[in-house]
Amino acid sequence: MELKVGDLVTRYSYDGDIVFRITSMNQGTAELAGEELRLAADAPLDDLKKVEEEERKSHEKDFREKQERSYRLFRQEARLMKERNNHEASEGYKEDASYFEMRGRVLHLDGDAYYLSKCTTLYERLGIPVYGVHIPEKEMPNQVSSLIEMVRPDILVITGHDAFVRTRGQENEIKSYKHSKVFGQTVREARKVVPQLDQLIIFAGACQSYFEWLVKAGSNFASSPERVNIHALDPVYIAAKISLTPFMDRINVVQLIRHTLTGKEGLGGLETKGVLRIGSPWKEDNLSNGKGIDD
């Protein structure tokens, strides 16, 4: 069987539990990135089974169904928030008040260009303003400060690929993780620019990341409390929920992760304020009159 970079594969030694993309090959070993999960791994070429077309289509179908379920749940809550915002904006007026929304702007740093493209598409579908940058994980600490200064985001997402490697050490040792250390360093550099937790809301981490390390570094939200794999799009749902929540409201962590595809085993964080601001009045032809993700 001939394998090449870009092929989808599973591992015989793990009973084909996760679909990976081959990102590089060298001397009989392949570097792998999860197709739907933010997991990094490597494996001997003879441990890899190429995913055939029918199997690939089946995996894609399952992925789309999961994504649509999460998207529908998010839309339902977004409608409720929009109705409440409509009521609050027009309260005290005899006729409808024109108003506009200033949704939270996201700066999304991703170590995987393929995932970044998927995430950007979902941000746009949800109506969330985003500036996405593909940066290899190890370069993130050096670039995050200048990007924050340039973009001036309300929300910062720091993600890519990670893994807890048991052969390197214990769960509470940072050396045991593939990229948790650089994610934490990136958070610390970001906090040098914006120290306050409610002025820049940060999500950091990927599959099996060192959750406690990332929270102590200054993240509002992080992965992975139980060192499980997280879905590629989970950071988007967290950022979108924050972006659409009014700044006077606090975000309940349990409710927040309800919209994710991974759940509480893979995601957690701190009580945090939303960032949405509503203004009034505004001419309808200049800016959205309270339009939301359904329009």
Side-chain angles (χ1 to χ4, degrees):
M1 177 184 61
E2 184 178 349
L3 294 171
K4 61 183 183 301
V5 172
D7 281 347
L8 297 183
V9 296
T10 57
R11 296 173 295 181
Y12 288 112
S13 57
Y14 287 81
D15 296 323
D17 58 341
I18 297 173
V19 177
F20 290 92
R21 277 180 291 117
I22 297 178
T23 57
S24 67
M25 300 169 63
N26 184 36
Q27 297 182 342
T29 301
E31 293 290 329
L32 308 173
E35 179 69 0
E36 298 175 13
L37 303 173
R38 289 187 172 274
L39 180 66
D42 56 66
L45 293 179
D46 58 11
D47 188 36
L48 300 179
K49 175 188 175 184
K50 187 173 181 178
V51 174
E52 300 300 334
E53 185 65 16
E54 285 302 314
E55 187 179 359
R56 182 189 67 79
K57 289 180 179 179
S58 176
H59 280 290
E60 285 187 355
K61 181 181 177 183
D62 290 343
F63 166 74
R64 286 195 299 270
E65 288 175 353
K66 290 177 183 177
Q67 181 179 339
E68 285 303 314
R69 283 197 298 270
S70 187
Y71 178 68
R72 286 194 297 270
L73 183 62
F74 192 96
R75 280 169 57 115
Q76 290 170 6
E77 182 154 344
R79 286 194 193 98
L80 293 176
M81 287 192 291
K82 179 181 176 182
E83 290 172 2
R84 191 189 68 176
N85 292 341
N86 281 338
H87 173 74
E88 292 179 352
S90 60
E91 188 175 4
Y93 294 88
K94 293 182 179 179
E95 58 185 36
D96 289 343
S98 63
Y99 73 95
F100 60 95
E101 295 179 345
M102 297 291 290
R103 297 178 177 182
R105 183 171 176 80
V106 178
L107 171 58
H108 184 122
L109 311 185
D110 207 315
D112 189 305
Y114 173 72
Y115 281 171
L116 178 62
S117 177
K118 281 189 171 187
C119 289
T120 301
T121 298
L122 184 56
Y123 281 120
E124 292 172 354
R125 191 178 180 195
L126 295 169
I128 307 301
V130 62
Y131 189 92
V133 186
H134 169 228
I135 307 176
E137 288 87 349
K138 292 181 181 179
E139 296 179 17
M140 289 179 178
N142 298 325
Q143 298 193 38
V144 66
S145 297
S146 59
L147 285 167
I148 291 172
E149 295 284 2
M150 180 181 74
V151 179
R152 301 181 68 84
D154 303 289
I155 304 157
L156 172 63
V157 174
I158 303 164
T159 190
H161 294 289
D162 205 356
F164 168 48
V165 185
R166 295 184 184 278
T167 55
R168 293 186 183 178
Q170 300 299 313
E171 191 175 287
N172 61 351
E173 295 179 286
I174 192 60
K175 67 179 183 180
S176 305
Y177 298 84
K178 190 172 183 66
H179 285 136
S180 289
K181 184 175 182 178
V182 294
F183 288 150
Q185 290 170 337
T186 307
V187 172
R188 288 196 176 110
E189 291 301 317
R191 286 294 175 217
K192 290 179 182 178
V193 182
V194 186
Q196 297 84 1
L197 291 179
D198 285 325
Q199 290 189 9
L200 178 65
I201 298 173
I202 300 177
F203 170 89
C207 281
Q208 303 176 9
S209 291
Y210 192 169
F211 171 77
E212 296 81 5
W213 171 273
L214 297 175
V215 171
K216 288 180 180 178
S219 295
N220 300 70
F221 302 97
S223 60
S224 164
E226 298 297 329
R227 308 305 190 263
V228 300
N229 300 326
I230 72 167
H231 197 278
L233 299 177
D234 281 336
V236 177
Y237 284 111
I238 288 179
K241 172 68 174 177
I242 298 162
S243 177
L244 293 172
T245 299
F247 80 101
M248 294 296 288
D249 292 352
R250 294 190 178 275
I251 296 167
N252 182 289
V253 177
V254 174
Q255 291 179 350
L256 174 66
I257 62 178
R258 185 179 63 181
H259 298 296
T260 65
L261 294 160
T262 301
K264 63 183 180 180
E265 289 80 14
L267 302 159
L270 307 171
E271 182 183 41
T272 301
K273 292 181 180 179
V275 297
L276 175 75
R277 291 178 182 266
I278 295 174
S280 180
W282 199 267
K283 291 183 179 179
E284 199 166 333
D285 58 348
N286 286 345
L287 195 62
S288 148
N289 183 19
K291 288 185 178 180
I293 65 173
D294 301 318
D295 298 299

